[in-house]
Amino acid sequence: MNIIKSIFKPRDKPKNHTGDGIGGGRSFPFGRTWSGKSVTERSAMQTTAVYACVRIISETVASLPIHLYEYTDSGKERAFTHPLYRLLHDIPNPEMNSFIMREVMMSHLLLWGNSYSQIIRNGKGEVTALYPLMPEKMRIDRGADSKIYYTYNSDKQGTFVFRKDEILHIVGLGFDGLVGYSPIAMAKNAIGLSIAAEEYGSSFFSNSGTPSGVLEHPGVLKEPEKVRDAWNDAYGGSSNAHKVAVLEEGMKFNPISINPHEAQFLETRKFQVNEICRIFRVPPHMIADLEKSSFNNIEQQSLDFVTNTIRPWLVRIEQTIFQQLLTEEEQKKYFVKFNVDGLLRGDFKSRMSGYAIGRQNGWYSANDIRELEDMNKIPKELGGDRYLCNGNMVDINNAGNYNSGGESENE
């Protein structure tokens, strides 16, 4: 009998391959790009498109309610009394609220590909606080016992080593499933080109919006540096724009650079915005690029954003919390879930039409609808929990029995 062994080796050290050369076999040190600009997670945030994409995703995930649920005989209900509920929903630690904590976690995931938080437990093993840690200061190793350990280098307090159960590690897309790689590092060439285009535009306008060139003199100049510096002082910079130049002794100015229109400067900048949106899977209209959006498709694009961009991140976070913050015994009774109903709701007229269909066909009560609209419930004695159905809808087996006076099969 042949025994097939797994090729996955749990003893292997987790790796982050973002420092390797990526793209056509041409290798650069981490941060260097083909445009010549250095790109890191922090410098990328100075690009408006990157900042806008990171902000829209982080704020959207942070604004969604997150609940801890308990399985019941009738389905599920919120586990308000569990210590983890308030920690996730309201206050993860004394220094920040849940919105800020999740916003920081998402920004780390979007920039570094990993989110690390220190888990504080009490004597009973219950989680009492979560503190975010900077991904750039974390190193992951596998010890001699084949277990994973996290080494955190704090600038002021030294080096700390944490066990796996002491760190809430949300892993982004990665090669080995244990460490995520940085989206910024993987797309550094596209972001580097965007930075280069911004720098080119800034340089152009700082030079009064005129191209560089050569001052040509018919004779021999003893001190050409002084002539050049005098020209720059008189006509360089945006404050000297549109000044009339005066050339003496037969001197001529010959431009040698390509103007922005010929270099397709604006087209390049627009394309790089779409490139960065493609990296983060954000519809361009959400970062104020409305060129290809209209009233007919913008709502559908927003729903697509929730389904294809936000939902995968939510599932990633939910399953990590379930795995790392709940004990094996608790996992049989509890689960974590984000509420995305608010993002998926359509306009008022569409919602009311949907509620009316559900109400008339018996799967919505008045209180079910009011709860979805964040309204107070109607008291039970007034019929708020009653389920109704349209009177002209009967079982096909009983059709005609009521009008003919006959008895139905269910009586």
Side-chain angles (χ1 to χ4, degrees):
M1 178 179 178
N2 295 327
I3 300 177
I4 301 176
K5 296 182 179 180
S6 172
I7 62 175
F8 178 78
K9 298 178 181 179
R11 298 185 302 277
D12 289 347
K13 177 182 176 181
K15 296 179 180 179
N16 186 332
H17 293 254
T18 54
D20 298 342
I22 298 172
R26 189 176 178 183
S27 177
F28 288 104
F30 177 75
R32 297 297 297 175
T33 65
W34 293 335
S35 64
K37 300 303 174 185
S38 178
V39 176
T40 65
E41 290 83 1
R42 295 183 183 275
S43 65
M45 284 289 281
Q46 297 178 13
T47 304
T48 56
V50 173
Y51 181 88
C53 288
V54 172
R55 182 179 179 183
I56 188 68
I57 296 177
S58 298
E59 290 182 345
T60 301
V61 173
S63 63
L64 293 175
I66 181 172
H67 302 291
L68 179 69
Y69 290 96
E70 181 178 5
Y71 293 109
T72 63
D73 295 336
S74 59
K76 65 179 182 180
E77 63 181 20
R78 297 179 188 177
F80 294 109
T81 58
H82 195 286
L84 194 59
Y85 183 92
R86 183 172 182 270
L87 186 144
L88 296 175
H89 187 270
D90 301 311
I91 304 176
N93 64 66
E95 299 179 352
M96 60 186 69
N97 55 43
S98 180
F99 181 95
I100 299 298
M101 175 74 179
R102 284 181 280 148
E103 185 181 45
V104 171
M105 291 169 61
M106 276 308 307
S107 65
H108 289 175
L109 274 169
L110 294 167
L111 295 173
W112 280 273
N114 295 277
S115 171
Y116 305 98
S117 300
Q118 183 183 1
I119 304 173
I120 306 298
R121 302 178 188 269
N122 58 18
K124 300 179 182 178
E126 299 172 337
V127 181
T128 58
L130 294 171
Y131 288 91
L133 301 174
M134 288 303 301
E136 59 188 0
K137 299 180 180 180
M138 185 70 76
R139 189 181 76 251
I140 306 178
D141 297 297
R142 193 179 292 278
D145 55 0
S146 297
K147 296 182 179 179
I148 293 177
Y149 292 91
Y150 296 85
T151 303
Y152 189 73
N153 296 314
S154 174
D155 296 333
K156 297 181 179 180
Q157 301 179 3
T159 302
F160 299 88
V161 178
F162 298 98
R163 300 187 308 272
K164 185 174 177 59
D165 62 340
E166 295 177 315
I167 295 293
L168 176 64
H169 181 196
I170 302 175
V171 184
L173 180 64
F175 291 106
D176 57 9
L178 300 176
V179 182
Y181 49 70
S182 167
I184 301 301
M186 300 303 294
K188 62 184 179 181
N189 288 309
I191 298 173
L193 180 56
S194 178
I195 294 175
E198 285 190 13
E199 185 174 315
Y200 176 82
S202 300
S203 176
F204 178 77
F205 285 105
S206 68
N207 194 36
S208 71
T210 59
S212 60
V214 176
L215 287 172
E216 181 181 349
H217 193 275
V220 177
L221 295 175
K222 294 182 179 180
E223 297 179 337
E225 293 83 4
K226 288 187 177 181
V227 177
R228 180 190 60 198
D229 294 341
W231 175 272
N232 289 334
D233 291 341
Y235 306 111
S238 57
S239 60
N240 295 322
H242 308 299
K243 277 189 175 182
V244 178
V246 178
L247 301 176
E248 303 178 4
E249 300 178 358
M251 188 176 295
K252 298 179 181 179
F253 177 77
N254 299 315
I256 60 173
S257 63
I258 302 174
N259 63 55
H261 177 71
E262 293 175 349
Q264 294 184 319
F265 170 68
L266 294 179
E267 289 80 0
T268 299
R269 293 209 64 186
K270 287 181 180 179
F271 180 76
Q272 289 312 114
V273 169
N274 289 327
E275 279 283 271
I276 293 172
C277 286
R278 188 176 295 117
I279 296 168
F280 294 102
R281 205 157 49 185
V282 172
H285 79 270
M286 302 196 77
I287 61 170
D289 182 0
L290 302 175
E291 185 176 3
K292 296 183 179 180
S293 297
S294 65
F295 288 109
N296 295 327
N297 64 14
I298 200 165
E299 181 179 356
Q300 197 60 40
Q301 289 185 54
S302 298
L303 294 176
D304 181 74
F305 171 72
V306 177
T307 304
N308 296 319
T309 303
I310 297 300
R311 185 176 177 274
W313 286 115
L314 300 183
V315 175
R316 190 184 300 269
I317 296 172
E318 290 168 354
Q319 294 191 2
T320 303
I321 292 175
F322 176 82
Q323 179 187 20
Q324 299 185 19
L325 298 187
L326 292 174
T327 64
E328 290 186 10
E329 193 63 29
E330 289 176 328
Q331 291 173 3
K332 301 176 183 178
K333 300 186 297 181
Y334 301 97
F335 67 95
V336 177
K337 193 74 175 176
F338 281 93
N339 185 354
V340 297
D341 291 342
L343 294 179
L344 295 175
R345 291 192 302 181
D347 57 83
F348 183 81
K349 183 178 180 180
S350 299
R351 297 202 312 274
M352 295 304 107
S353 297
Y355 293 152
I357 294 173
R359 179 70 165 147
Q360 293 170 10
N361 288 278
W363 66 76
Y364 271 158
S365 69
N367 283 339
D368 291 336
I369 298 172
R370 294 177 69 86
E371 184 176 3
L372 291 172
E373 290 293 316
D374 293 326
M375 302 170 67
N376 293 331
K377 290 186 176 182
I378 298 173
K380 186 175 182 179
E381 55 271 17
L382 297 180
D385 292 329
R386 294 181 61 190
Y387 291 88
L388 309 175
C389 67
N390 203 322
N392 60 3
M393 296 178 65
V394 298
D395 192 308
I396 192 170
N397 294 321
N398 299 329
N401 289 342
Y402 298 101
N403 292 332
S404 62
E407 295 181 355
S408 71
E409 296 180 0
N410 297 327
E411 291 180 344

